[in-house]
Amino acid sequence: MRKLVLKMSMSLDGFVAGARAESDWMFRDASPDSAAWVLDTVSGAGVHAFGRRTFESIAGFWANATTPVAGAMNTVPKVVFTRQAGFDPATVDTGGADSPAAATWTGARVANGDLVAEVDRLRAEDGADVLAQGGTDFCRSLVAVGLVDEYRLVVLPVVLGTGDGIFSGLQDELDLTLISSTVFDGGAKADVYRPKR
């Protein structure tokens, strides 16, 4: 059975989204070694899982991007989690792209049933791990019901002071085991944790 891996970038004070709409703070301290770590994580997935709003907001960017990470983002199959029964990925704006890259976004699978059942169905399929990487509400839901098998958290050297976090609203403590920690040249750090079960 494959794992559900949650990858998120967060501020030093634990926020994945700040008070400003812009997310430029996530990229200020990028370095070649951190980019390589992200590429390895993204390209190693068997399927990418997104919440609907994040999926809609990033499809056009990635379908037209040419970076090494874009190659992985555009070739790995995608699943969109949504409560909207009629959501159709074919209607998502891919920024004018009419390409195999755009087709991986417009042809994404839709998961709109019970969250636990949908994740269990993905875990039971053959292939590499399921990689969840946005949005905040979707990832918070995965955390809240204990569906995350591994956390890959990139902690950036910035303090936002306020914002949204994926651990907000937990009903109980969440005990984790640190698997690895990698400090990058730009000052960011990638911590990999697994829940203590």
Side-chain angles (χ1 to χ4, degrees):
M1 183 173 283
R2 57 187 179 178
K3 300 189 304 277
L4 186 139
V5 176
L6 190 154
K7 178 192 126 350
M8 291 295 275
S9 295
M10 62 176 44
S11 65
L12 192 60
D13 49 349
F15 298 115
V16 297
R20 294 187 301 118
E22 295 81 19
S23 58
D24 57 323
W25 60 272
M26 291 184 183
F27 308 104
R28 285 197 294 257
D29 296 294
S31 56
D33 56 344
S34 66
W37 185 91
V38 170
L39 176 59
D40 183 60
T41 296
V42 171
S43 61
V47 64
H48 292 167
F50 300 98
R52 179 190 53 81
R53 287 187 305 247
T54 295
F55 180 85
E56 289 176 326
S57 70
I58 68 173
F61 172 80
W62 287 113
N64 292 282
T66 57
T67 65
V69 173
M73 289 295 290
N74 290 326
T75 56
V76 174
K78 293 151 198 67
V79 176
V80 185
F81 283 77
T82 179
R83 292 185 184 99
Q84 292 187 358
F87 175 72
D88 182 359
T91 64
V92 171
D93 180 9
T94 57
D98 182 18
S99 63
T104 68
W105 295 89
T106 58
R109 289 168 48 186
V110 176
N112 57 13
D114 175 76
L115 180 63
V116 174
E118 294 283 9
V119 169
D120 284 348
R121 198 171 2 264
L122 281 173
R123 280 182 175 141
E125 294 174 0
D126 292 333
D129 293 335
V130 179
L131 182 65
Q133 48 184 329
T136 305
D137 291 340
F138 168 58
C139 291
R140 189 181 297 130
S141 296
L142 295 172
V143 172
V145 293
L147 291 171
V148 180
D149 299 301
E150 183 172 287
Y151 293 87
R152 295 185 188 181
L153 306 175
V154 178
V155 182
L156 300 162
V158 60
V159 175
L160 298 179
T162 186
D164 289 323
I166 58 170
F167 300 112
S168 302
L170 279 179
Q171 299 300 308
D172 202 356
E173 291 90 1
L174 177 61
D175 292 318
L176 303 172
T177 299
L178 180 65
I179 304 302
S180 67
S181 190
T182 307
V183 178
F184 301 120
D185 292 340
K189 179 176 66 157
D191 291 327
V192 178
Y193 293 94
R194 292 188 186 136
K196 293 181 180 177
R197 305 230 188 241

